[in-house]
């Protein structure tokens, strides 16, 4: 190769590598680059061991059905996946119905703003985000409603990421993040004007326990909305493929066990809530929420190749490739759940704490 060709080739290769990693790599809500993927609060040399530990939970299913074991189980999962979620999905760790003419980011924001509108959040209100992740919904709801939003997450690394994003978005005056277990919330009774959870309470071993905590901290008359992960009326426990799909979703998303849609309102009523409204937001006329997963298959292979390279050269922690592979397999199960209609991640229930409880 002559010197002139070399002069052109090197910059082109450098530009191509930069585009592949820094432009193509980040999610549409840019907050994390591929070269910065970590194991959260887990040190790099322990990521692979923690991944194996996560899978070992499923060898002892009775342990992940108890409140004592769930915090470690869920905390380990989110240490492993938070950076990958931010990089490959965005700052809102949930699904939303596709909206014709809208981007995924816009559809996500509309789905979050609907939660704020359902609980009638407004300026001056103190609102609780139950299972806030890195705070994507929190920031959207605070900006939309003007309310002060307090989020709780079990994962300390997510607290750090949420505070970073809150400050970057200049919403730290409206958004507060607390590290804690939503089965034992560190908040006084009757201290919130409203609450919401977006695809988060699925991590609770018993829904009654988290609903009871939300009920306790809400002021009398306040509203609570939750988007729940459920099996639908189309699910058949006698069909092996249905069971395989649901178990695949559970294993890949740190779930003690998916609940039936029929159980949600009963849990709410048992702890004292009045059920104002209940419906599956995934049903027509809504457009499929799993379209984004299908469209992302090419992006997955690009990302998987990139993580392979970063792992090989020691930039990404050993074990990151295994975690990414797990998430891709889970995406297949989620897509199948959506296609068959046996699973919904957005069974909505709107509740009110009675004035006299």
């Amino acid at each position: 190769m002559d010197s002139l060709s070399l002069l052109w080739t090197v910059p082109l290769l450098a530009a191509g590598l930069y585009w592949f990693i820094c432009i193509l790599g980040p999610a549409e809500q840019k907050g994390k680059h591929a070269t910065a993927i970590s194991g959260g609060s887990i040190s790099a040399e322990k990521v692979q061991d923690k991944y194996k530990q996560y899978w070992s939970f499923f060898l002892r299913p009775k342990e992940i059905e108890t409140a004592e074991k769930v915090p470690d189980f869920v905390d380990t999962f989110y240490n492993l996946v938070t950076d990958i979620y931010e990089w490959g999905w965005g700052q809102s760790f949930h699904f939303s119905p596709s909206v014709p003419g809208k981007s995924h980011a816009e559809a996500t924001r509309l789905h979050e703003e609907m939660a704020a509108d359902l609980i009638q959040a407004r300026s001056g209100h103190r609102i609780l985000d139950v299972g806030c992740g890195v705070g994507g919904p929190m920031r959207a709801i605070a900006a939309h409603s003007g309310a002060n939003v307090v989020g709780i997450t079990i994962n300390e690394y997510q607290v750090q990421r949420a505070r970073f994003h809150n400050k970057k978005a200049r919403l730290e005056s409206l958004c507060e993040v607390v590290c804690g277990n939503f089965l034992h919330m560190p908040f006084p009774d009757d201290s919130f004007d409203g609450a919401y959870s977006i695809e988060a309470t699925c991590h609770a071993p018993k829904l009654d326990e988290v609903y009871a905590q939300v009920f306790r901290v809400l002021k009398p008359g306040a509203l609570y909305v939750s988007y729940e992960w459920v099996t639908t009326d189309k699910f058949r426990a006698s069909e092996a493929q249905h069971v395989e799909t649901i178990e695949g979703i559970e294993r890949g998303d740190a779930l003690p066990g998916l609940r039936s849609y029929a159980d949600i309102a009963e849990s709410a009523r048992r702890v004292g809530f009045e059920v104002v409204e209940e419906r599956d937001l995934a049903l027509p006329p809504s457009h499929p929420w799993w379209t984004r997963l299908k469209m992302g298959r090419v992006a997955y292979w690009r990302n998987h190749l990139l993580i392979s390279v970063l792992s090989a050269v020691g930039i990404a922690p050993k074990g990151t490739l295994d975690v990414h592979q797990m998430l891709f397999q889970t995406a297949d199960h989620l897509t199948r759940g959506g296609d068959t209609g046996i699973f919904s991640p957005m069974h909505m229930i709107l509740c009110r704490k009675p004035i006299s409880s």
Side-chain angles (χ1 to χ4, degrees), residues 31 92 107 112 128 154-155 168 170 191 206 300 312 330 355:
S92 295
E112 293 163 349
L128 176 63
I154 193 72
N155 186 261
K168 190 174 181 180
R170 298 182 179 180
S191 55
K206 295 179 181 177
Y300 162 77
T330 305
I355 297 293

Side-chain angles (χ1 to χ4, degrees), residues 115-130:
D117 293 340
L118 284 167
I119 62 173
Q120 301 172 22
R122 61 181 183 271
S123 180
H125 275 185
R126 188 168 183 253
I127 303 296
L128 176 63
D129 182 331
V130 183

